[in-house]
Amino acid sequence: MSIKKDDFKNSILKHLKLAGTTLKDATKRELFDAVSKAAMELVMENWRETKETYDSKNVKQAYYLSAEFLMGRAFSNNLVNLTILDEVKETLEDLNININEIEDQEEDAGLGNGGLGRLAACFLDSLATLELPGHGYGIRYKYGMFKQKIENGFQVEYPDRWLDYEDPWEVERRSEAVKVKFGGEVIVVKDADGREHFRRESAEVVTAVPYDMPIIGYGVKNVNTLRLWQAESEDGFDLQAFNDQHYNTAVKKQTQAEDISRVLYPNDSGPSGKELRLRQQYFFVSASLQDIMKKFKAKHGNDFSKLPEYVAIQLNDTHPVVAIPELMRLLLDWEKLEWEVAWPICTKVFSYTNHTILAEALEKWPIDLFKKLLPRIYQIVDEINRRFLLELREKYPTDWQKHQKMAIIGDGMIKMAWLAIVGSHAVNGVAALHTEILKNQELKEWYELYPEKFQNKTNGVTQRRWLLKSNPELSELITKLIGDKWITDLSELKKLEKYADDEKILKEFIKIKHTKKEQLAKYILDTLGIYINPDSLFDVQIKRLHEYKRQLLNILHVIDLYNNLKANPDLDIVPRTFIFGAKAASGYKRAKQIIKLINAVAIKINNDPDIKGKIRVVFVPNYRVSVAEKLFPAANLSEQISTAGKEASGTGNMKFMINGAPTIGTMDGANVEIVEEAGIENNFIFGLTAEEVVALNSTGEYNPWNEYNSVPGLKKVMEQLLDGTFSDDRSIFTEIYNSLMYGADGNRPDQYYVLKDFASYREAQLRVDKAFRDELGWAKKAWLNIANSGKFSSDRTIQQYADEIWDIKKTTV
Ligand SMILES: *Cc1c(COP(=O)(O)O)cnc(C)c1O
């Protein structure tokens, strides 16, 4: 699309006027609103036309159900996808407005924890850009992922008040609200034919109000929809109680309803087990399915056998899996279908993505809680389980152990992953290694029972946000060399390979990388008051804080390097800046201790004149999408050092790759495929393999004291956790020490093999140090990573979902 600058200018002025202000008086926020609304006017027409086209062409549509959408900011991304960013920028310049300042007015839509939520956001971008009819459904959390501050080295959480200002990029659609019921009693009535009908009495009724965000395809007219539900009480507050001066009683019902969409649970890959969480899940799932059914019926009437021809629903992890019994409820109780008719419809509609093999992340709900909150849904799950067990008994008549292990309801719990597999026609892992681990280990029995359901869909990221928008300088160079087709077909980047030995081009790339490092250095100076040297190697680990991701391995290595420098200040090393960014789940004690350790080490090192500024450590607080956009383009080295077999895929690794940062990493998740594409010689691989980890686990013979006593320098690093080197309070890192050396909370010592991989990691870091001295040689490695990153576009991933799971087709508007 292109705009007439005068028209756009007038539109901005009009929106300022409607807001009761003028160009001269407007605050930056008012300017942000006016410019956004001017752009929204352009979006609206395409949005409506998209709906009409999908409707008139009668196409099958996919719905991505996810409890999380980590969208980040909409403003620049939407202008990029509308292909009007440059024109808008110029228009604003004419009005003496700096677009960067406008952009910074927007809070991130941080409606997700990390990788899983960001994947959902990248998928939406790809769906729209590929002109595929696919939409998102989720929750409009009033408070998204908490705001992290570092106080005295510790993480402190503050509420994320992203909705304090009205969001110009969303549209409330109150007239499409639906009701969701919780609790109450199920009443069974038999009709004259003896058929049973189910009715609910004395249930708590909550209103789900939809808010739509436009998902704008790049350079196409398609505008898909992310529909987020907000919970409200059905009939406001209790005026009677209020009049009787019972204030708390008067608002109780209202508060209880609004609680449902109040706040995102800040647990990444972990359980919450809380009733409110189950309420959230059922709330958005029920609202979404009612919405989908309403649209289907308006178009196709009551022939529900056609539902799978027009509707595909993807379950993003187990969080929305209650959708399976909910659709059964709608088909049985509302539409009066027989079970035998409804069930195959259901399984054809649903498919399920598994995101993790961490045992603690396999969602289960206590029967009592589930039954009380969702009595009718429980009956349906019970029936699904009964029929499934019959199937199992037929197939394995005497294998009682298997029946017990695979039962959807057992040990007093409802196992959501099992329900997902039984109720879906496709089950996928998110990287090749992950899918193999699912098939051969974690879900072995399930793979034997339903081999045809299992698929791999290696994750990807959208190059529109993670390269075009966040690194315009590199984008421009790429486009200059190979044209701009890469923006919608990342495999085009392969054409860059022929410049891998072109000194002139590599020098241009080096200069761009330096510019991005300067920009980041300025941001860090402005926000944290810390100076970092853009000529040093930027070594970056940014992701959720989790023991399996092993930020601890990174910081222990930094301590070792520091010790070496202290012993020998003239040690010849490449100057390095170690950059960390990570939020810890609020209740995850060890993760918070590791954040404290990183900050304590940073203070010690950054203030020690002995080491002559050769290394610095920076913890960037409140890591989120908008900060990620500054960090990935500025990185020289990508830290992907999880214990092999634990990281399902990773997507941060891909964002580094497309911005020209080689990986130091284990053979884990999608790292395996990154190395396959870019060459092991262009990355720095170390450590145990997933198979070796499994073998070590099973023998139980691993003893970290062997590493402690035999790896040079390691003993000293460990002792420093206890001797007050990094904190006057000597007890503060004892628990970290103990978890490594003795095991904690019933776990084996060093269960994530930090000490075991230490020597290997340090050796890989030495290789990095050596390679980085050769500036052009390093640039070539980085360049070859970029040139071979084509596979890691979410466009590729989404095309595979579209072809191999959903069967949806490109639909041009
Ligand atoms: C990409 C991304 C993640 C996922 O990072 P991993 O390294 O794959 O765990 C998490 N948070 C944000 C803000 C991201 O942009």
Side-chain angles (χ1 to χ4, degrees):
M1 156 177 323
S2 84
I3 50 168
K4 291 207 185 72
K5 278 201 221 163
D6 278 342
D7 290 353
F8 199 74
K9 194 185 293 180
N10 288 332
S11 183
I12 294 171
L13 296 174
K14 177 187 76 186
H15 285 290
L16 285 172
K17 191 170 166 185
L18 286 170
T21 185
T22 63
L23 192 56
K24 187 163 71 63
D25 291 338
T27 63
K28 283 179 189 147
R29 177 70 203 195
E30 286 167 336
L31 286 168
F32 164 79
D33 279 330
V35 179
S36 299
K37 284 177 179 168
M40 266 299 250
E41 279 191 37
L42 306 173
V43 173
M44 280 302 186
E45 263 178 65
N46 288 351
W47 204 357
R48 183 186 45 78
E49 230 181 290
T50 301
K51 284 176 195 163
E52 283 168 7
T53 305
Y54 294 168
D55 196 51
S56 67
K57 292 194 176 163
N58 208 1
V59 294
K60 182 171 183 180
Q61 308 201 39
Y63 302 96
Y64 199 78
L65 264 58
S66 179
E68 302 188 12
F69 286 93
L70 191 48
M71 302 297 283
R73 288 172 173 167
F75 182 80
S76 297
N77 197 256
N78 284 348
L79 298 184
V80 164
N81 280 11
L82 289 166
T83 66
I84 60 171
L85 179 67
D86 289 336
E87 290 158 298
V88 171
K89 203 170 175 174
E90 287 160 24
T91 309
L92 293 180
E93 272 164 18
D94 292 348
L95 297 171
N96 258 321
I97 301 166
N98 178 342
I99 195 164
N100 298 325
E101 287 181 3
I102 298 296
E103 178 179 21
D104 281 337
Q105 295 307 305
E106 185 178 7
E107 295 287 332
D108 281 37
L111 309 183
N113 273 283
L116 174 150
R118 184 53 230 176
L119 183 76
C122 285
F123 279 3
L124 294 181
D125 183 87
S126 288
L127 278 165
T129 299
L130 294 172
E131 303 179 278
L132 288 166
H135 315 274
Y137 274 113
I139 300 171
R140 186 176 185 265
Y141 300 105
K142 182 169 183 192
Y143 302 101
M145 189 58 205
F146 66 77
K147 189 167 170 182
Q148 179 196 54
K149 291 191 184 172
I150 301 299
E151 297 176 4
N152 189 23
F154 290 102
Q155 164 175 304
V156 182
E157 300 112 40
Y158 291 89
D160 162 46
R161 300 168 45 151
W162 76 292
L163 287 173
D164 273 5
Y165 290 99
E166 188 191 327
D167 179 2
W169 295 102
E170 69 176 6
V171 178
E172 181 188 315
R173 301 233 184 255
R174 189 161 289 271
S175 65
E176 295 180 47
V178 298
K179 307 277 181 207
V180 178
K181 291 184 183 177
F182 295 96
E185 258 179 277
V186 180
I187 308 293
V188 189
V189 210
K190 275 198 182 161
D191 65 17
D193 304 333
R195 209 197 127 104
E196 289 181 331
H197 297 272
F198 297 84
R199 205 157 40 77
R200 208 106 59 88
E201 277 186 5
S202 58
E204 172 192 347
V205 184
V206 173
T207 303
V209 182
Y211 287 74
D212 291 352
M213 288 185 184
I215 305 296
I216 301 161
Y218 177 89
V220 294
K221 284 179 85 178
N222 298 55
V223 178
N224 292 337
T225 302
L226 170 57
R227 174 159 281 195
L228 301 176
W229 300 98
Q230 169 171 291
E232 295 180 9
S233 122
E234 191 189 20
D235 36 31
F237 67 101
D238 185 342
L239 188 61
Q240 204 56 53
F242 182 79
N243 290 340
D244 296 342
Q245 317 251 314
H246 301 305
Y247 184 72
N248 286 336
T249 318
V251 296
K252 191 171 163 226
K253 205 174 139 200
Q254 192 174 21
T255 310
Q256 199 173 315
E258 289 170 7
D259 276 344
I260 294 173
S261 58
R262 196 174 314 278
V263 56
L264 168 76
Y265 276 92
N267 299 320
D268 187 57
S269 316
S272 70
K274 296 284 189 292
E275 178 181 332
L276 181 58
R277 172 76 168 175
L278 184 57
R279 274 180 187 267
Q280 290 186 334
Q281 295 182 350
Y282 182 68
F283 166 74
F284 95 89
V285 156
S286 176
S288 306
L289 285 178
Q290 290 181 51
D291 202 42
I292 291 167
M293 289 289 274
K294 200 154 65 179
K295 286 175 195 161
F296 175 86
K297 284 167 75 172
K299 184 87 189 156
H300 305 283
N302 282 17
D303 185 359
F304 297 102
S305 67
K306 287 216 175 87
L307 195 67
E309 288 172 39
Y310 294 101
V311 172
I313 300 178
Q314 191 69 31
L315 305 170
N316 195 24
D317 213 302
T318 51
H319 319 143
V321 164
V322 68
I324 292 166
E326 173 67 0
L327 182 58
M328 284 300 285
R329 184 182 73 88
L330 297 178
L331 293 174
L332 299 170
D333 298 1
W334 288 21
E335 310 301 344
K336 310 295 177 199
L337 264 56
E338 298 297 330
W339 186 283
E340 290 73 15
V341 178
W343 181 248
I345 293 175
C346 230
T347 56
K348 278 179 212 153
V349 163
F350 289 111
S351 40
Y352 156 66
T353 304
N354 175 289
H355 284 269
T356 174
I357 57 166
L358 298 181
E360 67 266 29
L362 280 182
E363 224 176 1
K364 298 180 202 135
W365 291 105
I367 293 175
D368 294 345
L369 185 159
F370 197 98
K371 203 171 177 173
K372 185 175 115 281
L373 192 67
L374 311 171
R376 177 62 184 138
I377 295 297
Y378 177 75
Q379 290 178 340
I380 293 170
V381 174
D382 197 35
E383 179 63 13
I384 294 172
N385 184 47
R386 191 186 68 80
R387 289 171 184 250
F388 170 64
L389 287 178
L390 289 177
E391 181 187 326
L392 263 192
R393 265 170 226 152
E394 202 157 295
K395 186 128 191 190
Y396 311 103
T398 56
D399 195 343
W400 302 110
Q401 251 179 330
K402 202 187 272 282
H403 303 169
Q404 202 172 26
K405 194 167 174 200
M406 297 176 83
I408 297 167
I409 304 178
D411 319 315
M413 305 290 254
I414 300 171
K415 319 229 170 117
M416 301 309 277
W418 295 179
L419 178 57
I421 300 171
V422 173
S424 298
H425 69 280
V427 175
N428 76 283
V430 289
L433 175 66
H434 171 58
T435 302
E436 286 310 303
I437 291 174
L438 291 179
K439 291 199 294 193
N440 303 323
Q441 297 167 34
E442 304 301 312
L443 302 179
K444 194 164 183 282
E445 299 83 5
W446 292 98
Y447 179 53
E448 277 163 15
L449 181 63
Y450 301 129
E452 72 287 354
K453 291 191 184 187
F454 283 73
Q455 301 193 23
N456 177 246
K457 293 287 167 282
T458 298
N459 282 168
V461 299
T462 167
Q463 66 267 34
R464 268 82 60 190
R465 183 177 290 264
W466 296 111
L467 182 52
L468 182 60
K469 187 211 159 273
S470 62
N471 200 342
E473 297 88 348
L474 180 56
S475 299
E476 199 183 324
L477 173 62
I478 293 171
T479 297
K480 187 180 87 182
L481 296 173
I482 63 168
D484 65 2
K485 288 223 280 284
W486 62 272
I487 297 171
T488 51
D489 177 5
L490 203 64
S491 67
E492 284 280 313
L493 293 185
K494 191 78 184 169
K495 293 179 179 163
L496 293 173
E497 225 169 28
K498 67 168 177 279
Y499 301 100
D501 290 304
D502 185 328
E503 209 168 296
K504 190 175 147 282
I505 300 302
L506 290 182
K507 285 196 165 146
E508 279 189 58
F509 168 64
I510 290 166
K511 198 161 159 235
I512 288 166
K513 183 59 84 176
H514 200 268
T515 303
K516 300 315 283 181
K517 289 166 76 177
E518 283 171 346
Q519 291 169 3
L520 178 65
K522 180 175 184 319
Y523 170 77
I524 287 175
L525 186 64
D526 291 349
T527 55
L528 305 177
I530 300 173
Y531 168 78
I532 61 174
N533 176 9
D535 294 325
S536 65
L537 189 168
F538 282 12
D539 178 328
V540 185
Q541 187 172 21
I542 42 176
K543 46 182 77 248
R544 285 302 289 262
L545 203 308
H546 222 294
E547 284 168 284
Y548 83 80
K549 291 178 182 276
R550 296 200 297 193
Q551 282 93 352
L552 191 50
L553 176 59
N554 188 342
I555 199 68
L556 292 183
H557 169 257
V558 172
I559 296 173
D560 178 61
L561 193 54
Y562 173 63
N563 291 340
N564 292 338
L565 278 171
K566 283 291 269 188
N568 177 11
D570 293 326
L571 189 70
D572 178 24
I573 63 157
V574 167
R576 270 206 219 207
T577 305
F578 295 93
I579 300 173
F580 293 84
K583 288 177 182 173
S586 328
Y588 192 170
K589 224 171 128 191
R590 183 97 56 250
K592 290 183 151 180
Q593 291 162 349
I594 293 168
I595 289 178
K596 171 66 180 173
L597 177 62
I598 295 168
N599 281 291
V601 171
I603 287 192
K604 181 86 184 171
I605 289 181
N606 298 349
N607 293 296
D608 188 340
D610 291 355
I611 59 163
K612 301 175 181 167
K614 283 183 181 170
I615 57 174
R616 284 180 91 70
V617 180
V618 181
F619 187 95
V620 179
N622 204 26
Y623 176 55
R624 61 196 187 281
V625 172
S626 58
V627 174
E629 288 172 23
K630 303 178 201 295
L631 286 161
F632 287 109
N636 292 121
L637 186 66
S638 161
E639 294 271 356
Q640 306 301 335
I641 60 178
S642 51
T643 311
K646 296 292 179 194
E647 186 74 270
S649 165
T651 49
N653 46 5
M654 304 166 185
K655 300 169 201 164
F656 280 110
M657 185 191 195
I658 62 175
N659 280 283
T663 296
I664 183 165
T666 48
M667 278 300 211
D668 200 14
N671 299 352
V672 176
E673 291 159 80
I674 285 177
V675 166
E676 212 169 86
E677 297 293 307
I680 197 155
E681 68 282 6
N682 296 313
N683 292 285
F684 301 87
I685 299 303
F686 72 94
L688 297 169
T689 63
E691 280 170 1
E692 288 167 340
V693 167
V694 170
L696 267 185
N697 281 342
S698 67
T699 62
E701 274 167 16
Y702 170 57
N703 181 357
W705 289 101
N706 294 337
E707 323 299 316
Y708 180 97
N709 288 313
S710 67
V711 176
L714 188 53
K715 179 164 182 265
K716 174 159 183 182
V717 171
M718 292 304 296
E719 281 169 356
Q720 285 170 319
L721 294 179
L722 304 178
D723 70 5
T725 303
F726 299 109
S727 168
D728 294 338
D729 177 357
R730 293 183 177 208
S731 66
I732 206 160
F733 303 124
T734 326
E735 288 186 30
I736 294 178
Y737 181 94
N738 287 345
S739 76
L740 293 173
M741 301 316 302
Y742 302 110
D745 312 315
N747 293 312
R748 285 171 286 111
D750 191 15
Q751 59 171 328
Y752 295 107
Y753 300 106
V754 173
L755 277 77
K756 182 79 190 163
D757 272 346
F758 183 86
S760 172
Y761 179 57
R762 183 168 59 187
E763 181 273 327
Q765 286 288 20
L766 278 172
R767 281 187 274 145
V768 168
D769 180 281
K770 187 154 177 278
F772 197 73
R773 289 162 197 258
D774 172 7
E775 197 182 32
L776 281 173
W778 184 273
K780 179 177 175 181
K781 286 183 198 300
W783 191 260
L784 287 173
N785 270 282
I786 299 171
N788 290 292
S789 64
K791 176 175 181 184
F792 305 104
S793 169
S794 47
D795 297 344
R796 187 268 311 149
T797 316
I798 279 298
Q799 195 60 58
Q800 289 180 324
Y801 276 94
D803 294 341
E804 297 160 21
I805 299 182
W806 302 330
D807 193 27
I808 58 170
K809 301 276 186 294
K810 173 172 165 171
T811 307
T812 301
V813 176

